[in-house]
C-alpha cells in the first residue's frame, strides 16, 4: 500500500486530496492543527471537515502537528516514509498577512522549508507537491491592458486570450506580505529540485474552491459569498466596480492533477492551476449565478478602495499543464461549482 502525507488536511485542498487518494487505496496521513480557526476565528474552524474525513476515509491517520515544529516534522516524515507529500497547509490570506507578518512567514516560508528538508533527509525519492499561488506574480497581472465590459474586466491584449502563463515575472511588483512569503516557499521548492534533485512542483493556484471550504471574508470568496447569500449577511465588494475576474477550479480537479503529477513526476516544475477562461467569472456574475440558484438576493456594500495589490483580472493559462499531462482537463464546470457550493452550505447551515 502506498503512503501519502497531506499537510493542511482539514482544509479545502488537503481534505480533497486525502479523499481522492484514500479512495484509490493509498494510506493517507494528514497534518493539521486547525490554525485556520486562529487566523480567521470560529468561522474558519476546520474541525467539521477533519471529523468528516475520520468518519469517511478508512485508515486515515490525523496528526495534530504544526508544520512550524521542525523536530516534529522531521520525526513524522522519518516515521511514516511517504511516497508522496502534498503540502497545502498555509496562512492563505493576502490581507491577513500584514497584521500577522511573523506567523505568515513562519508558516508559509519556514514551514515549507521544514517539510522540504525533512523529505530530503528522510525520503529523498518521494514526490513533493506544493500549493503555491498566483499571488507570486504580485500585481504584475494588473499591468496587462484591460477592456471594460458590461459585467467584467477582460484582457485587451489578444496575447492573453488564454490567460496568464508561467512566463510572467514574479519579480519587482507588489505582492502583499502573503505573496512574498509564498514566493519564498515557491522558489525554495524549485531549488530543492534543481539543487538536490527532488521530484517536486509548485501549483500556482487561481481561485481554488469547493464545498469543503470554510470560507471567510478574507479567504475563499466563492464559498463566503454563498454563505452570505444563504445567511442574509452583507457581502463587501472591494473596488474595481465588482467587475474583478477570477478563474475558479474545483478542488477535485486539483486533486486529479496531483494524481497525474505523482504518477509521472518531474522536477522543479511550476504550473498555473485555475479554472481557465471557461471557469472565469466576475464578482457581479458570481452574485447573479448564486442568486438564481438560491432564489435569494445577496446584500452587498461597495467599498471604493480595492485590496492592496489585488488582481483586477486573473485567468490561468492551463496549456503547460495540459501539454505535460495530456488528457488532464477541467471536469467541473462553473455551474457545477456554484451548485456544489450552494448545496454544501445548505447542508452545513441546517
Ligand atoms: N483557496 C484558494 O483560493 C487558493 C488560491 C491560491 C492558492 N491557494 C493555496 O492552496 C493551499 C490550500 O489552500 P486552502 O484553500 O485549502 O486553505 P485552507 O485554509 O482551507 O486549508 C489550509 C489548512 O492548513 C491548516 N494549517 C495552517 N497552518 C498550519 C500549520 N502551521 N500547521 C498545520 N496545519 C496548518 C489550516 O488549519 C487549514 O485547515 C494554500 O497553500 C493556499 O495558499 C489557495
Amino acid at each position: 500500500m502506498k503512503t501519502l502525507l497531506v499537510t493542511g488536511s482539514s482544509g479545502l485542498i488537503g481534505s480533497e486530496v486525502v479523499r481522492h487518494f484514500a479512495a484509490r487505496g493509498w494510506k493517507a496521513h494528514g497534518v493539521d492543527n486547525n490554525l485556520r480557526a486562529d487566523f480567521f476565528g470560529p468561522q474558519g474552524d476546520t474541525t467539521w471537515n477533519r471529523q468528516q474525513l475520520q468518519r469517511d476515509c478508512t485508515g486515515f491517520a490525523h496528526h495534530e502537528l504544526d508544520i512550524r515544529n521542525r523536530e516534529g516534522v522531521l520525526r513524522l516524515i522519518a516515521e511514516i516514509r511517504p511516497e508522496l507529500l502534498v503540502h497545502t497547509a498555509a496562512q492563505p490570506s493576502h490581507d491577513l498577512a500584514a497584521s500577522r507578518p511573523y506567523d505568515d512567514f513562519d508558516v508559509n516560508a519556514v514551514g515549507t522549508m521544514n517539510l522540504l528538508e525533512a523529505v530530503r533527509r528522510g525520503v529523498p525519492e518521494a514526490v513533493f507537491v506544493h500549493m503555491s499561488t498566483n499571488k507570486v506574480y504580485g500585481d504584475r497581472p494588473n499591468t496587462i491592458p484591460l477592456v471594460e465590459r458590461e459585467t467584467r474586466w477582460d484582457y485587451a491584449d489578444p496575447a492573453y486570450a488564454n490567460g496568464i502563463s508561467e512566463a510572467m515575472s514574479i519579480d519587482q511588483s507588489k505582492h502583499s506580505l502573503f505573496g512574498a512569503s509564498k514566493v519564498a516557499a515557491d522558489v525554495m521548492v524549485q531549488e530543492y529540485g534543481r539543487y538536490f534533485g527532488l521530484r517536486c512542483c509548485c501549483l500556482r493556484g487561481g481561485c481554488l474552491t469547493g464545498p469543503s471550504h470554510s470560507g471567510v471574508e478574507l479567504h475563499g470568496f466563492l464559498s463566503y459569498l454563498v454563505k452570505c447569500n444563504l445567511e442574509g449577511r452583507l457581502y463587501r465588494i472591494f473596488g474595481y466596480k465588482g467587475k474583478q475576474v477570477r478563474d475558479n477550479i474545483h478542488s477535485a480537479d486539483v486533486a486529479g492533477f496531483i494524481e497525474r503529477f505523482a504518477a509521472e513526476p518531474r522536477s522543479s516544475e511550476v504550473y498555473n492551476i485555475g479554472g481557465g477562461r471557461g471557469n472565469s467569472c466576475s464578482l457581479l456574475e458570481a452574485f447573479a449565478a448564486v442568486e438564481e440558484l438560491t432564489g435569494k438576493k445577496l446584500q452587498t456594500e461597495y467599498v471604493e478602495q480595492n485590496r492592496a495589490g489585488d488582481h483586477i483580472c486573473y485567468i490561468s493559462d492551463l496549456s503547460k499543464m495540459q501539454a505535460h499531462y495530456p488528457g488532464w482537463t477541467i471536469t467541473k464546470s462553473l455551474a457545477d461549482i456554484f451548485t456544489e457550493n450552494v448545496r454544501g452550505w445548505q447542508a452545513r447551515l441546517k
Side-chain angles (χ1 to χ4, degrees):
M1 186 186 263
K2 287 187 165 181
T3 300
L4 93 148
L5 175 61
V6 181
T7 70
S9 48
S10 311
L12 168 74
I13 299 300
S15 61
E16 186 77 55
V17 171
V18 167
R19 282 180 192 283
H20 187 93
F21 282 87
R24 286 156 182 78
W26 288 58
K27 166 76 184 173
H29 290 264
V31 162
D32 202 303
N33 64 348
N34 199 19
L35 205 60
R36 190 173 172 92
D38 181 68
F39 288 142
F40 303 115
Q43 309 282 345
D45 198 311
T46 53
T47 308
W48 66 278
N49 208 17
R50 170 178 57 76
Q51 288 168 343
Q52 281 193 356
L53 285 184
Q54 287 174 314
R55 204 181 50 222
D56 299 347
C57 301
T58 319
F60 170 63
H62 174 78
H63 305 268
E64 194 79 17
L65 176 69
D66 191 318
I67 60 165
R68 292 172 291 186
N69 175 349
R70 185 166 292 162
E71 290 308 318
V73 166
L74 279 166
R75 228 181 357 256
L76 181 68
I77 289 179
E79 184 190 313
I80 66 174
R81 304 190 57 76
E83 272 103 347
L84 170 63
L85 191 147
V86 182
H87 175 33
T88 82
Q91 187 302 101
S93 167
H94 186 77
D95 302 291
L96 187 76
S99 60
R100 299 188 57 171
Y102 288 132
D103 291 338
D104 179 79
F105 197 83
D106 286 345
V107 173
N108 290 352
V110 184
T112 302
M113 176 71 192
N114 290 344
L115 292 160
L116 285 166
E117 186 54 20
V119 166
R120 184 181 79 85
R121 290 188 193 184
V123 278
E125 66 292 347
V127 175
F128 191 109
V129 176
H130 169 63
M131 290 310 302
S132 186
T133 169
N134 62 11
K135 298 293 191 308
V136 299
Y137 299 117
D139 62 357
R140 187 171 295 272
N142 292 352
T143 61
I144 301 169
L146 296 175
V147 54
E148 182 175 358
R149 306 210 189 281
E150 198 183 331
T151 56
R152 64 158 77 189
W153 297 101
D154 203 348
Y155 303 127
D157 183 346
Y160 291 94
N162 288 331
I164 292 171
S165 81
E166 296 79 1
M168 178 155 282
S169 170
I170 63 169
D171 198 10
Q172 299 187 71
S173 60
K174 185 180 202 172
H175 289 83
S176 80
L177 296 192
F178 161 75
S181 66
K182 294 292 273 191
V183 165
D186 185 303
V187 172
M188 193 58 92
V189 171
Q190 292 182 57
E191 202 55 36
Y192 266 70
R194 293 214 164 78
Y195 202 92
F196 296 121
L198 200 71
R199 297 183 297 170
C200 55
C201 70
C202 300
L203 303 182
R204 296 177 172 169
C207 266
L208 317 179
T209 185
S212 305
H213 224 178
S214 307
V216 290
E217 184 176 35
L218 293 180
H219 186 244
F221 96 95
L222 256 185
S223 170
Y224 180 67
L225 92 79
V226 169
K227 184 181 189 208
C228 287
N229 175 288
L230 290 172
E231 288 191 322
R233 287 172 188 245
L234 189 68
Y235 184 92
R236 290 193 293 166
I237 305 163
F238 293 94
Y240 305 145
K241 304 184 187 176
K243 296 185 180 185
Q244 49 271 58
V245 171
R246 302 288 179 261
D247 68 327
N248 306 283
I249 183 168
H250 192 290
S251 48
D253 283 332
V254 177
F257 182 78
I258 292 171
E259 186 188 359
R260 292 291 308 272
F261 183 84
E264 294 170 80
R266 292 162 176 258
S267 188
S268 302
E269 279 299 352
V270 297
Y271 298 104
N272 289 350
I273 186 168
R277 182 167 285 279
N279 272 10
S280 68
C281 66
S282 68
L283 275 186
L284 296 180
E285 291 162 1
F287 297 163
V290 172
E291 286 170 354
E292 197 180 323
L293 280 171
T294 64
K296 291 172 82 168
K297 183 98 187 116
L298 179 69
Q299 305 305 315
T300 60
E301 178 185 79
Y302 187 73
V303 182
E304 196 55 62
Q305 184 59 50
N306 61 271
R307 291 175 155 147
D310 198 21
H311 294 150
I312 307 171
C313 178
Y314 192 93
I315 296 175
S316 313
D317 181 347
L318 307 179
S319 45
K320 183 177 173 191
M321 301 169 71
Q322 288 170 329
H324 284 191
Y325 296 95
W328 177 85
T329 188
I330 297 284
T331 66
K332 302 264 192 182
S333 69
L334 201 51
D336 297 332
I337 287 172
F338 284 126
T339 306
E340 287 193 31
N341 267 305
V342 168
R343 288 202 187 127
W345 271 116
Q346 281 169 335
R348 277 159 70 187
L349 293 172
K350 252 186 206 157

